[in-house]
């Protein structure tokens, strides 16, 4: 049986879950914009260089929640029209 890790984020009443491979940990970071070198990518807030030199992409949780909310609204509208 495979274990599933679910990270839940958001605010009360507007939470979503994201299935991840594993949780590495929690740390304070500085988020740098990637827009200077790349086009804006919906759902990505920026990037951070970790203490060991690896680059980590930072999710834009507000954009992700908005995307899920729009999809749910569209699905509800389609169901009601059927």
């Amino acid at each position: 049986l495979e274990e599933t890790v679910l990270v839940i984020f958001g605010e009360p009443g507007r939470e979503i879950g994201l299935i991840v491979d594993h949780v590495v940990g929690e740390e304070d970071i500085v988020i740098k914009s990637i827009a200077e070198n790349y086009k804006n990518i919906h759902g990505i807030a920026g990037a951070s260089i970790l203490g060991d030199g690896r680059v980590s992409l930072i999710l834009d949780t507000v954009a992700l929640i908005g995307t899920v909310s729009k999809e749910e609204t569209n699905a509800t509208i389609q169901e009601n029209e059927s």
Side-chain angles (χ1 to χ4, degrees):
L1 183 64
E2 189 174 320
E3 184 177 294
T4 301
V5 179
L6 181 67
V7 176
I8 299 172
F9 58 91
E11 55 189 44
R14 286 190 70 181
E15 299 97 352
I16 65 171
L18 184 66
I19 296 174
V20 298
D21 294 330
H22 62 278
V23 176
V24 176
E26 182 179 330
E27 60 184 271
D28 293 326
I29 58 170
V30 175
I31 301 174
K32 302 276 188 181
S33 172
I34 60 174
E36 298 168 3
N37 299 312
Y38 302 97
K39 66 178 184 175
N40 284 337
I41 301 171
H42 184 75
I44 303 294
S48 182
I49 300 174
L50 303 177
D52 62 5
R54 293 180 298 152
V55 175
S56 177
L57 293 177
I58 310 302
L59 297 177
D60 181 347
T61 57
V62 173
L64 292 174
I65 291 172
T67 299
V68 170
S69 295
K70 286 178 189 174
E71 289 177 5
E72 288 176 348
T73 300
N74 290 339
T76 301
I77 290 170
Q78 288 176 354
E79 286 177 11
N80 291 337
E81 290 176 350
S82 298

